[in-house]
Amino acid sequence: MEETFLEAVKEKMRQKGYKITGPRLAIIRYLTREKGHPDIQEIFEDIRVEKPGIGMATVYRTVSLLLELGILRAITLRGHHLRYELNWPDHHHHHLVCNRCGQVTEFGNCNFQLMSGEIEQVTRFKIEEHALEAYGLCPQCLSARLDYSTENI
Amino acid sequence: MEETFLEAVKEKMRQKGYKITGPRLAIIRYLTREKGHPDIQEIFEDIRVEKPGIGMATVYRTVSLLLELGILRAITLRGHHLRYELNWPDHHHHHLVCNRCGQVTEFGNCNFQLMSGEIEQVTRFKIEEHALEAYGLCPQCLSARLDYSTENI
DNA sequence: CTCACTTTTGATAAGCATTATCATTGCCTG
DNA sequence: CAGGCAATGATAATGCTTATCAAAAGTGAG
Ligand SMILES: [Zn+2]
Ligand SMILES: [Zn+2]
Ligand SMILES: [Zn+2]
Ligand SMILES: [Zn+2]
């Protein structure tokens, strides 16, 4: 899976005339390993461990390139700075964020197509994509809060 | 409606010990008039017309205050900078953005509660809020594109 | 209404994140 | 394995947001 994806990425870069360089490969490999939602600073710091000489500008440039190629996906949670994740094929999902500890979980149960038809009828738009984020309390913070309210009785 | 809302805002500010000042009133009045989704720069420029002396710092501070009080709502479209709209009571809605011209339309047909129960079961989160944005082509851009593809036959 | 107290304001400086610049390095094709 | 051109890394520049602080304005008591 990872290898096939990496080859597809390289092929896409070659087709568009971009060079496959050391820094770019390191960043792509890192992103295929990393399963979370790192921001640009985290990407920079993690890459620096294996490639100490890399510059922040290169990380910015590579992330922009991967976004342009559709390899990377950017998400915003509560309007905070951007976080990134690989755009694996056939993996439609959204994010659930804990309001207390910030933990991010993914969920795939998306029924958006049930409302999109009606929205298209009402607005006359043709819908192409959508973004959805849910906010609440994760299981850990939920039980912590329950304990707290019990204390207060 | 507008007057009732304005009074409710004033009351909320008094309760929290915030002073009702000229600049703050001007910004709130402007936001009740404005029906779009201005960003901080647009708010600043529009307010400056009626209150030429106002400083950018005050606009930033007032927007933060209104967000804290739940009077204002912030939205991000495609991870771009924040845009704002008043949090009118009982007006749950989301945004539909044209990928070509950027036009923003609101829609109220939201079936999120149909999926939230299942997501809560799977993830064990307690969901409190959600944000949803749809992207596509507005009616104008849609017909423009249809014309264009006809030309190309 | 006036005064005294406290918050708010506006101008300015400071702080960060992102982008632009440019000489040097390093892919890639032949 | 060399030449050409894109990419890199260091640094400067830009732009947006927050912090600072003296002056102004809102509030509540008298
Ligand atoms: Zn949590
Ligand atoms: Zn979806
Ligand atoms: Zn449009
Ligand atoms: Zn909704």
Side-chain angles (χ1 to χ4, degrees):
Chain A
M1 182 78 177
E2 273 84 5
E3 276 310 308
T4 316
F5 187 77
L6 185 59
E7 275 315 309
V9 170
K10 284 187 185 175
E11 188 48 37
K12 200 177 276 187
M13 289 177 71
R14 270 189 285 261
Q15 278 175 8
K16 296 255 184 176
Y18 295 115
K19 293 185 176 171
I20 295 162
T21 67
R24 282 175 181 169
L25 266 182
I27 292 174
I28 297 163
R29 286 224 181 83
Y30 160 75
L31 289 168
T32 54
R33 257 182 283 134
E34 169 65 47
K35 300 299 178 193
H37 306 84
D39 60 17
I40 199 96
Q41 195 61 39
E42 287 174 298
I43 296 174
F44 177 59
E45 283 162 16
D46 291 348
I47 288 287
R48 242 170 129 69
V49 175
E50 54 181 298
K51 256 193 156 286
I54 201 169
M56 189 50 146
T58 300
V59 176
Y60 272 104
R61 282 182 294 226
T62 304
V63 164
S64 300
L65 175 64
L66 297 178
L67 286 172
E68 177 202 322
L69 295 177
I71 293 160
L72 205 60
R73 193 158 91 92
I75 59 173
T76 42
L77 307 175
R78 289 211 179 283
H80 290 15
H81 59 279
L82 295 166
R83 299 188 159 273
Y84 303 94
E85 65 184 345
L86 275 193
N87 215 353
W88 295 99
D90 304 317
H91 183 38
H92 181 78
H93 71 274
H94 300 291
H95 298 96
L96 188 41
V97 186
C98 178
N99 278 329
R100 196 155 163 278
C101 73
Q103 178 190 138
V104 179
T105 300
E106 302 185 344
F107 64 88
N109 331 52
C110 174
N111 286 339
F112 182 73
Q113 80 279 358
L114 291 182
M115 48 179 130
S116 63
E118 199 180 335
I119 298 167
E120 286 183 328
Q121 280 197 339
V122 174
T123 62
R124 294 280 144 201
F125 267 64
K126 175 80 182 63
I127 296 177
E128 297 175 336
E129 310 134 72
H130 64 278
L132 169 62
E133 305 94 44
Y135 299 92
L137 288 174
C138 71
Q140 294 77 37
C141 291
L142 197 54
S143 49
R145 179 162 295 195
L146 288 176
D147 294 347
Y148 180 73
S149 45
T150 305
E151 278 171 26
N152 273 14
I153 289 174
Chain B
M1 181 76 177
E2 274 82 4
E3 277 310 309
T4 318
F5 187 77
L6 185 59
E7 275 314 310
V9 170
K10 284 188 185 174
E11 187 49 36
K12 200 177 277 189
M13 289 177 70
R14 270 190 285 262
Q15 277 175 9
K16 296 255 185 178
Y18 295 116
K19 293 183 176 175
I20 296 161
T21 67
R24 284 175 180 169
L25 266 182
I27 292 173
I28 297 164
R29 285 224 182 82
Y30 160 75
L31 289 168
T32 55
R33 258 183 282 132
E34 169 67 46
K35 299 300 177 192
H37 306 84
D39 61 17
I40 200 96
Q41 195 61 39
E42 286 173 298
I43 296 173
F44 177 60
E45 284 162 15
D46 291 348
I47 289 287
R48 243 170 128 70
V49 174
E50 54 180 295
K51 256 195 156 283
I54 202 169
M56 189 49 146
T58 300
V59 177
Y60 272 104
R61 283 181 295 226
T62 304
V63 164
S64 300
L65 176 64
L66 296 178
L67 287 172
E68 178 201 321
L69 295 177
I71 292 159
L72 204 61
R73 193 158 91 93
I75 59 173
T76 42
L77 307 175
R78 289 211 178 283
H80 291 17
H81 59 279
L82 294 166
R83 298 188 160 274
Y84 304 93
E85 66 185 343
L86 276 194
N87 214 355
W88 295 99
D90 304 317
H91 183 36
H92 181 79
H93 71 274
H94 300 291
H95 299 95
L96 189 40
V97 186
C98 178
N99 277 330
R100 196 156 162 278
C101 72
Q103 178 191 139
V104 178
T105 300
E106 302 184 344
F107 64 88
N109 328 54
C110 174
N111 286 339
F112 182 73
Q113 79 280 358
L114 291 181
M115 46 179 131
S116 62
E118 199 180 334
I119 298 167
E120 286 184 327
Q121 280 197 339
V122 173
T123 63
R124 295 281 146 199
F125 268 63
K126 176 80 182 61
I127 296 178
E128 297 175 335
E129 311 135 71
H130 63 278
L132 169 63
E133 305 93 44
Y135 300 92
L137 288 174
C138 72
Q140 294 77 38
C141 291
L142 197 55
S143 50
R145 179 163 293 195
L146 288 175
D147 292 349
Y148 179 75
S149 46
T150 307
E151 279 172 24
N152 273 12
I153 292 175

